[in-house]
Every structure is written in structure tokens, then in C-alpha cells.
Amino acid sequence: MKVLNGIPTAVGRNTERPLILTQRTALPGGDKSILFQETCLGLASDQSQIVMRRYFERYSPEGSHWVEYIHSIPTAEFIHWIMTHGQMRIECSEDAPHAQFHAHA
């Protein structure tokens, strides 16, 4: 575990300052264990990949066990996917001539 801005986060060797998407701590049952889960999104150090990490850790008096699933996609491929499949919205300043802006979805 790594503490980032006072918040524990999964240690990632290829991401810096990830965006935490979800974070949860639970007592899953009658035993004395604690389950910590976190999903975060970041960039590889060279910014060529977008990286999503899903980290799971179980603490108990007997010890702890953790697993991390790391998913990545080339940044250019992800941007292309968003532009192809995402919803587009156009915003401009109030004084911009609207005739200059033509967008085809």
C-alpha cells in the first residue's frame, strides 16, 4: 500500500498520481478480516498507455493477502475509441461566429 495525499492507494510502478475511481473497505463476514478494494486510472510514465488498476487486499490477524489486476491500452487507441463511440458536445464562446464550426458525428 502507498499513501497518496493522506489516502491509501495501490502501489503502481508505472503510474503517478492516479485518479481513484472507487475505494471500499468492508468486513465481509463473521471472521475478523477486513477487505480493502480500490480501482484507479492513470497514465504510464511515458504516457503511451492508459492504465487501470484493480487492487484487492484482505487483512486478518493471521496475515494479509493481496492481488492487483492491471489493464492497459495504448493512449492513442483509447482516444480514437472515445471519439468514435463517445457522445460529442460542442461548446464555444458567445461571440464566436457559428458559421465557422461544422462538426460531423
Side-chain angles (χ1 to χ4, degrees), residues 44-105:
S45 58
D46 65 358
Q47 299 184 355
S48 67
Q49 301 272 318
I50 295 176
V51 181
M52 183 180 75
R53 297 177 179 276
R54 296 182 302 138
Y55 179 84
F56 301 87
E57 187 165 357
R58 181 181 296 273
Y59 299 98
S60 71
E62 294 79 35
S64 68
H65 305 288
W66 63 270
V67 64
E68 185 173 39
Y69 300 94
I70 303 165
H71 309 269
S72 63
I73 186 170
T75 303
E77 189 176 319
F78 183 67
I79 291 170
H80 178 72
W81 185 89
I82 289 174
M83 290 171 54
T84 303
H85 296 92
Q87 294 180 355
M88 183 177 67
R89 185 177 78 213
I90 298 173
E91 295 182 8
C92 59
S93 62
E94 291 180 19
D95 60 348
H98 298 289
Q100 291 181 0
F101 297 101
H102 296 285
H104 301 284

